Amino acid sequence: MKLRRRQRERLSLGLQYLVFIAIIATVLVAADWDRLADAFFRVDIIKSMFPTIITVALRNTILYTLGAFAFGLVFGTILALMRLSRVAPYRWVATAYIELFRGLPALLVLFLVGYGIPIAFPEREIPGGVFGSIAIGLGLTAAAYMAETIRAGIQAVPKGQMEAARTLGMSHFTAMRTIVIPQAFRIVIPPLTNELILLTKDSSLAYVLGVTAQTIEITKFGRDMLNDRVNATPLLVAGLAYLVITLPLSQVVRRLELRYAKAR
Amino acid sequence: MTTTPARPAVEIRDLHKSFGPLEVLKGIDFEVGQGEVVCVIGPSGSGKSTLLRCVDLLEEPTAGKIWVNGVEMTDPDVEIDAVRRGIGMVFQSFNLFPHLTVLNNLTIAQRRVLRRGRAEAERIARANLERVGLTDKADAFPAQLSGGQQQRAAIARSLSMEPKLMLFDEPTSALDPELVGDVLTVMRKLAEDGMTMMVVTHEMAFARDVADRVVFMDGGVVVEQGPPQEVLGAPKHERTRAFLSRVLDPTHVAQLGAPDQSGPPSAG
């Protein structure tokens, strides 16, 4: 018996739903819900984590992230302009830096900044203490990625824009500042916001620098609680705390991408 | 180098331009008089767009000299930004600034380059929008405009700088056929108002009706030039005739067996 096209389509769709429901049902049946709830969802432990997880851990995570992002944005913009420079040595240095730091794990760079610099310059301190070390340590890596994003953004502005601005009598600098950079920024805001999301999660590496009760961030806070209570509930709460930051940011990226897709 | 109004708007002497090993302009001598409308025609790859872009120094000539309103553009020390204020350029792809409204497209250079105040810049911008028939589009963004409207806004943007010379680089080639007329009408009005214009175009009707002089280029040289009725009506050179028959009577181009008269196809 031959099925007609619409019948075949309905059958295929039905099968796909069936597979999905089967997987969900298996998980629901196989899981030991009492043990799960006991390991991941102890209300008393959740209660004990507040308000510190918000007032200290979440706050510090946001501070470290913003610090690293600000450092990375400024340094990354400089690197991007160096890569586009007419002076060849600037291009070489920027290219070498970007290749190097994109290839190194952020953890290692953070180690080098946190422990290497104090050894190399014993009489000097990194300004801002732990905050400064994390901002620079994570920012150095972020700058390499952001430099490439910003450079691509500048180059994505059509050549005709610069030409049109120059034929109106604008200098290269004025044309760059009023015509090219504003358009480049629109192009790079979504990828830069993604970089911000990545940095939010990378800020969990701060533990390698040995944080205290005042400088603790979400992941370390969750792990300490895990060891303390011998229960996984703090990890679940820590994860949710990250989502409080990252989910709205993802939404922002999506909105911006839609808006600029329309404006162009 | 003096700035006497009596000199031609554009003077070009023995201009050569190469892109790598490819010589696009092979010695051009050319003038545009004050108030003259010159149309440059020719097959794609003939170098006509490159010639126009050299006048505004968007392309650096390999050899030769160019003067615009008596100022030598090819002087390495030329104050290029200052000279360009007197030259309007209209591109095939409009090149409006997409992040600015139409009004701000027209005011930004007035304000940043000519240092005009906002009120004065906007008054001049609106006057030029009226000239091109876009009064109601002042607050629109370029993406909200049709191609023809964008090109007219681009013309108004150039006019807002009050140039003495307008360069047009195939201004209607990117437009849908039904939008071409609006742009050509604006250009014709501009010509009637006495603007000096150099127009690279494929619009033979415009060249015939509006131009004071038509220049036919092929293979990087000026093949022939003269009043439109001569160049378009009674061309002296075989290459001109071949080109015109291709453009004006495209359905009969394939004279089977006849040698191909056009140059090699390339971006032009």
Side-chain angles (χ1 to χ4, degrees):
Chain A
M1 178 191 84
K2 257 195 153 179
L3 291 174
R4 267 176 282 164
R5 189 175 62 85
R6 276 195 305 176
Q7 286 175 318
R8 283 200 308 272
E9 263 173 24
R10 235 176 274 160
L11 189 69
S12 154
L13 206 61
L15 273 173
Q16 292 180 54
Y17 272 109
L18 204 67
V19 169
F20 180 76
I21 291 165
I23 291 171
I24 298 288
T26 312
V27 171
L28 284 177
V29 171
D32 185 337
W33 284 99
D34 289 338
R35 284 193 60 179
L36 268 179
D38 195 48
F40 285 104
F41 205 78
R42 286 262 304 275
V43 177
D44 58 314
I45 296 180
I46 293 176
K47 276 186 181 156
S48 74
M49 292 177 78
F50 285 87
T52 324
I53 188 162
I54 303 293
T55 55
V56 179
L58 183 72
R59 175 179 156 273
N60 281 335
T61 291
I62 292 173
L63 279 181
Y64 297 156
T65 305
L66 289 181
F69 187 78
F71 183 87
L73 187 62
V74 172
F75 192 36
T77 306
I78 295 170
L79 284 171
L81 292 175
M82 282 172 73
R83 276 217 52 176
L84 297 171
S85 167
R86 286 168 58 191
V87 184
Y90 282 157
R91 291 200 303 269
W92 300 335
V93 169
T95 307
Y97 179 93
I98 290 165
E99 291 303 326
L100 189 67
F101 277 77
R102 281 201 305 185
L104 292 176
L107 185 68
L108 192 73
V109 177
L110 198 56
F111 253 119
L112 286 172
V113 170
Y115 296 109
I117 288 180
I119 293 171
F121 306 96
E123 71 281 12
R124 300 223 175 171
E125 255 181 52
I126 293 174
V130 178
F131 171 75
S133 302
I134 293 167
I136 294 172
L138 293 177
L140 285 173
T141 306
Y145 286 97
M146 286 153 112
E148 282 298 88
T149 305
I150 294 164
R151 177 192 59 78
I154 292 173
Q155 287 181 328
V157 176
K159 219 175 113 232
Q161 293 291 309
M162 177 56 99
E163 283 187 351
R166 294 304 305 271
T167 58
L168 290 167
M170 288 189 197
S171 66
H172 180 89
F173 180 76
T174 306
M176 203 69 179
R177 197 168 50 92
T178 63
I179 303 300
V180 177
I181 302 261
Q183 290 183 57
F185 236 79
R186 278 150 194 256
I187 297 169
V188 300
I189 280 178
L192 281 188
T193 313
N194 276 324
E195 183 63 31
L196 188 60
I197 293 173
L198 291 178
L199 271 174
T200 306
K201 295 179 289 175
D202 277 355
S203 69
S204 65
L205 299 172
Y207 75 90
V208 302
L209 299 181
V211 293
T212 67
Q214 275 76 51
T215 61
I216 202 162
E217 45 65 57
I218 296 171
T219 298
K220 181 79 166 88
F221 181 74
R223 279 194 354 173
D224 286 357
M225 288 285 285
L226 169 86
N227 293 338
D228 194 43
R229 302 297 187 91
V230 200
N231 187 283
T233 305
L235 294 185
L236 190 79
V237 179
L240 290 174
Y242 278 107
L243 293 179
V244 167
I245 307 173
T246 53
L247 285 183
L249 282 177
S250 305
Q251 276 304 312
V252 169
V253 175
R254 201 166 303 163
R255 290 253 177 93
L256 289 173
E257 277 171 349
L258 274 176
R259 224 177 84 194
Y260 294 133
K262 266 188 223 155
R264 283 190 70 79
Chain B
M1 117 182 172
T2 49
T3 317
T4 18
R7 296 193 62 165
V10 180
E11 270 181 279
I12 296 172
R13 292 288 162 255
D14 197 28
L15 181 71
H16 291 257
K17 172 66 186 176
S18 300
F19 294 103
L22 181 71
E23 190 173 29
V24 178
L25 299 178
K26 299 169 180 168
I28 305 272
D29 288 285
F30 181 78
E31 277 179 17
V32 179
Q34 298 288 349
E36 197 181 14
V37 176
V38 175
C39 281
V40 183
I41 61 170
S44 57
S46 59
K48 53 195 193 305
S49 278
T50 305
L51 173 65
L52 191 82
R53 288 167 61 82
C54 278
V55 173
D56 210 3
L57 225 63
L58 285 175
E59 304 292 352
E60 197 87 35
T62 312
K65 291 196 167 175
I66 301 170
W67 291 265
V68 172
N69 294 318
V71 178
E72 191 192 333
M73 302 292 281
T74 37
D75 179 347
D77 285 328
V78 69
E79 292 293 342
I80 186 66
D81 297 338
V83 191
R84 278 180 177 151
R85 279 174 221 163
I87 309 172
M89 178 87 172
V90 175
F91 299 88
Q92 183 178 347
S93 52
F94 330 135
N95 293 346
L96 287 174
F97 306 133
H99 62 304
L100 301 176
T101 62
V102 169
L103 188 68
N104 285 337
N105 262 278
L106 270 61
T107 56
I108 188 159
Q110 292 188 62
R111 300 192 61 200
R112 305 275 177 181
V113 177
L114 302 179
R115 301 275 159 212
R116 285 177 183 155
R118 177 189 290 275
E120 189 195 4
E122 287 189 357
R123 184 178 54 74
I124 292 167
R126 287 185 194 281
N128 281 303
L129 281 179
E130 198 184 333
R131 244 175 130 175
V132 302
L134 287 177
T135 327
D136 54 331
K137 298 292 180 190
D139 298 319
F141 280 90
Q144 298 165 313
L145 267 52
S146 73
Q149 291 170 334
Q150 287 192 49
Q151 191 59 296
R152 283 184 283 149
I155 293 172
R157 177 175 68 177
S158 286
L159 293 177
S160 296
M161 299 298 284
E162 289 161 3
K164 294 199 194 89
L165 164 69
M166 286 287 286
L167 307 174
F168 293 85
D169 187 5
E170 302 195 22
T172 57
S173 296
L175 298 177
D176 291 336
E178 79 272 22
L179 303 175
V180 167
D182 292 343
V183 172
L184 292 182
T185 305
V186 166
M187 290 169 63
R188 172 200 281 274
K189 258 175 33 191
L190 203 56
E192 285 164 0
D193 290 347
M195 177 64 76
T196 310
M197 292 163 63
M198 182 172 166
V199 185
V200 169
T201 188
H202 291 294
E203 298 294 336
M204 293 304 144
F206 179 82
R208 190 184 58 228
D209 297 346
V210 180
D212 298 311
R213 183 154 51 95
V214 172
V215 175
F216 173 69
M217 279 182 71
D218 192 13
V221 295
V222 172
V223 175
E224 78 175 283
Q225 54 177 312
Q229 58 273 23
E230 280 179 22
V231 176
L232 301 177
K236 294 189 193 73
H237 286 75
E238 178 50 38
R239 282 201 277 178
T240 319
R241 275 196 288 272
F243 171 74
L244 288 173
S245 78
R246 276 168 184 275
V247 174
L248 300 174
D249 195 10
T251 50
H252 292 97
V253 167
Q255 301 287 351
L256 291 176
D260 189 352
Q261 299 288 347
S262 73
S266 68

